[in-house]
Amino acid sequence: MKKYIFLTCSAVFFVGVLSSCDSQEARRPISHTSGAFIKESIERNKVLINSEEEVFENLFKKDTINKYHQATKGYWYKYDVKQEEALPLPVRGDIVEYEYEIFDIDGKVIYTKEDTEPQRYLVDKENIMTGLRYGIKQMKEGEVVSFYFPSHIAYGYHGDKKDIGTNVPIICKVQLNKIIKSN
């Protein structure tokens, strides 16, 4: 008899649990996003990039002496000193020694070579400004190149937390002194 009562109670409990699972409705999210913020952010960034590109293009139109090149990575450059000799370019794993200075788009110095000090960079294996990472790989030893970096490949939204503010395009003049090839 005790066994029968126990089995009956267990069966009723089990059926109750099962039936309560069937009738329970899924909870709806408390909030949901429409993606509007991301769409607005994309549009803001497109406007910012277009305005910075326009500023650079206006600078280039005014300078009839120099020839400016547009890189596939979204920046422009001009040679201040060009090596015509067939010298190797730095590749991943090489070490480059370089100096650079940074200017605002009006040509005013932000950081001098003394401020930035000579640099050693293990190509593609260390973290440096995105634009410099791209630009250095197209330079030969002994060249001096002025790069015109839009803010998104310079210091971006955060700036450098010192003298370069939010979303500031820059001119970066780089002198590549030495390439130490990896074995």
Side-chain angles (χ1 to χ4, degrees):
M1 182 76 159
K2 286 183 181 181
K3 230 183 207 183
Y4 175 73
I5 293 174
F6 176 74
L7 287 175
T8 305
C9 288
S10 297
V12 169
F13 176 75
F14 186 68
V15 169
V17 167
L18 284 179
S19 65
S20 69
C21 290
D22 290 339
S23 66
Q24 192 172 29
E25 197 173 312
R27 290 183 2 182
R28 301 211 180 273
I30 295 172
S31 67
H32 58 287
T33 60
S34 64
F37 175 77
I38 291 174
K39 289 176 186 172
E40 289 170 7
S41 178
I42 289 169
E43 287 307 312
R44 275 192 310 271
N45 286 332
K46 284 180 181 178
V47 168
L48 176 66
I49 290 168
N50 287 337
S51 70
E52 291 177 4
E53 288 178 354
E54 191 175 301
V55 167
F56 284 139
E57 288 170 1
N58 288 334
L59 282 175
F60 305 151
K61 285 178 188 175
K62 291 177 187 175
D63 183 0
T64 57
I65 297 170
N66 294 296
K67 182 178 180 184
Y68 295 87
H69 309 273
Q70 186 170 14
T72 58
K73 299 287 189 179
Y75 61 91
W76 293 263
Y77 61 97
K78 73 174 175 112
Y79 289 97
D80 298 303
V81 176
K82 183 171 175 57
Q83 284 287 356
E84 298 299 337
E85 199 176 329
L87 296 173
L89 299 173
V91 295
R92 182 180 176 87
D94 290 347
I95 296 172
V96 294
E97 295 177 355
Y98 68 97
E99 298 174 56
Y100 72 106
E101 50 194 336
I102 298 177
F103 303 87
D104 67 14
I105 56 173
D106 296 321
K108 181 180 165 213
V109 175
I110 300 173
Y111 294 117
T112 65
K113 284 183 182 181
E114 290 76 28
D115 294 331
T116 60
E117 300 176 348
Q119 300 287 311
R120 280 179 69 98
Y121 166 58
L122 184 58
V123 177
D124 286 342
K125 294 190 175 189
E126 290 182 300
N127 191 23
I128 62 171
M129 180 195 346
T130 303
L132 273 179
R133 189 174 331 136
Y134 295 148
I136 284 174
K137 290 193 289 189
Q138 73 180 49
M139 293 180 70
K140 298 176 189 172
E141 196 171 283
E143 287 186 326
V144 179
V145 178
S146 292
F147 295 100
Y148 295 75
F149 295 132
S151 62
H152 69 279
I153 58 173
Y155 290 97
Y157 176 74
H158 295 290
D160 75 340
K161 306 221 189 302
K162 295 177 191 164
D163 295 332
I164 299 174
T166 299
N167 296 326
V168 175
I170 60 170
I171 302 167
C172 197
K173 187 173 183 176
V174 180
Q175 178 178 327
L176 187 59
N177 297 325
K178 190 171 186 178
I179 300 172
I180 303 166
K181 300 303 277 180
S182 62
N183 295 332

